[in-house]
Amino acid sequence: MSQFQRFLEALHEKYQPLAEGTLASYIPELTKADPGWFGISVVTVDGQTYQVGTVDQTFTIQSISKVFAYGMGLEDHGREALLHKVGVEPTGDPFNSLIRLDEDSKRPDNPMINAGAIATTSLIKGADPTERLNRLMAMFRRYIGHDVFIDISTFMSERSTGHRNRAIAHLMLNFGMLNGAIEAALDLYFQQCSLLVDCHDLALMAATLANRGINPATGEQAVNPDYVRDILSVMYTCGMYNFAGEWAYRVGIPAKSGVSGGILAVVPNQAGIAVFSPLLDKNGNSIRGLRVFEALSQKYGFHLFDLSMGKCSLLTALNE
Ligand code: GLN
């Protein structure tokens, strides 16, 4: 067994007993998760997989979908046009906050909070709701490398209880940040959040971003490589809710978490990493997930500003 695999197994053993935190309950379906679920998956850009624990249990992707929908928004509209409609400023507020939406703000702050994600999803191109959903699903399929499905119970659960998201959409409509079709936009947003994935799928999706948009398992280009930098930038500054700053400080790689307990992170040019464990802290981040990423980043020098590892690709290239 490789040293890396042994390290992952030791982390899993160390943090499995950590039973702090709570399951998300504001979406009733999410309370059905088992608090003991805990998986770690790593997929490298050359297609190697290392994993341990609950790696093939499916769960709904939730907010992690925002990363990939943003990529599609960039492809559909281009960087400048999308920036005009959805900003890239971190808020320091919870993901479902509406306090910054007002007459002066003109656009939601960033695509990783619900307001910005609903606005981004509303911009996905297509002749009708079916075509928009099919395009979105085809995009997820390119990252995941196999057929994808929506969990209908979670979709219905979100749709019937998502009053806060509905309020956000109505406020944005009032301020001219959304066009009129808000029920359709909300449905598509709830559908993308209800996409079923497992921990390995998330690691492969992250590895695809680490590999300039090419899925390392299938060789398929999942997203235009010109936009990978933009996607990773908003993940880095806004991906971890109101913990984004501390995450950047402690772990130092672009990441995104979701209320069902997944966290995916990208080590550029090296690997995609995912942790799944549904017990969350007060910010909504997986508690075991935070611990695992901190340990991995520390041990392998993943932090983008960890200069002690001495990796400098430019100098290597110049000295060749
Ligand atoms: N579907 C969830 C919501 O809109 C996603 C939130 C999340 O994962 N943070 O509230």
Side-chain angles (χ1 to χ4, degrees), residues 26-27 61-64 66 95-96 114 158 165 189-190 193 241 256-260:
Y26 75 101
I27 300 170
I61 188 168
Q62 294 300 335
S63 270
I64 297 173
K66 293 167 179 172
F95 62 89
N96 56 7
N114 288 10
E158 288 210 49
N165 284 324
Y189 171 73
F190 294 142
C193 289
Y241 310 135
K256 182 75 197 86
S257 68
V259 282
S260 50

Side-chain angles (χ1 to χ4, degrees), residues 71-122:
M72 193 157 201
L74 285 164
E75 287 181 324
D76 278 359
H77 299 276
R79 186 178 295 136
E80 292 312 317
L82 189 60
L83 196 53
H84 206 66
K85 305 232 177 219
V86 182
V88 289
E89 288 305 328
T91 63
D93 296 326
F95 62 89
N96 56 7
S97 175
L98 11 83
I99 52 180
R100 276 168 207 269
L101 286 175
D102 61 30
E103 311 283 354
D104 302 325
S105 59
K106 296 192 179 56
R107 57 183 180 182
D109 290 289
N110 71 68
M112 302 291 115
I113 53 170
N114 288 10
I118 294 167
T120 303
T121 299
S122 78

Side-chain angles (χ1 to χ4, degrees), residues 302-316:
F302 288 152
H303 197 299
L304 295 180
F305 309 128
D306 185 349
L307 308 182
S308 65
M309 299 304 274
K311 278 178 263 146
C312 186
S313 51
L314 177 63
L315 287 187
T316 312

Side-chain angles (χ1 to χ4, degrees), residues 105-164:
S105 59
K106 296 192 179 56
R107 57 183 180 182
D109 290 289
N110 71 68
M112 302 291 115
I113 53 170
N114 288 10
I118 294 167
T120 303
T121 299
S122 78
L123 295 168
I124 301 288
K125 287 189 176 165
D128 54 37
T130 311
E131 189 179 322
R132 284 193 278 276
L133 176 63
N134 286 341
R135 288 192 65 237
L136 203 64
M137 291 297 118
M139 176 273 289
F140 282 117
R141 204 178 301 123
R142 290 196 294 276
Y143 281 97
I144 295 176
H146 59 74
D147 271 345
V148 292
F149 301 96
I150 288 170
D151 184 62
I152 292 295
S153 309
T154 306
F155 167 63
M156 293 308 288
S157 185
E158 288 210 49
R159 188 191 216 204
S160 56
T161 61
H163 307 302
R164 199 173 172 110

Side-chain angles (χ1 to χ4, degrees), residues 152-196:
I152 292 295
S153 309
T154 306
F155 167 63
M156 293 308 288
S157 185
E158 288 210 49
R159 188 191 216 204
S160 56
T161 61
H163 307 302
R164 199 173 172 110
N165 284 324
R166 206 158 261 116
I168 289 173
H170 276 277
L171 265 181
M172 288 198 292
L173 177 66
N174 180 56
F175 297 138
M177 298 173 187
L178 278 187
N179 66 25
I182 59 172
E183 283 307 321
L186 282 164
D187 271 356
L188 192 55
Y189 171 73
F190 294 142
Q191 284 158 350
Q192 79 174 44
C193 289
S194 303
L195 181 85
L196 284 167

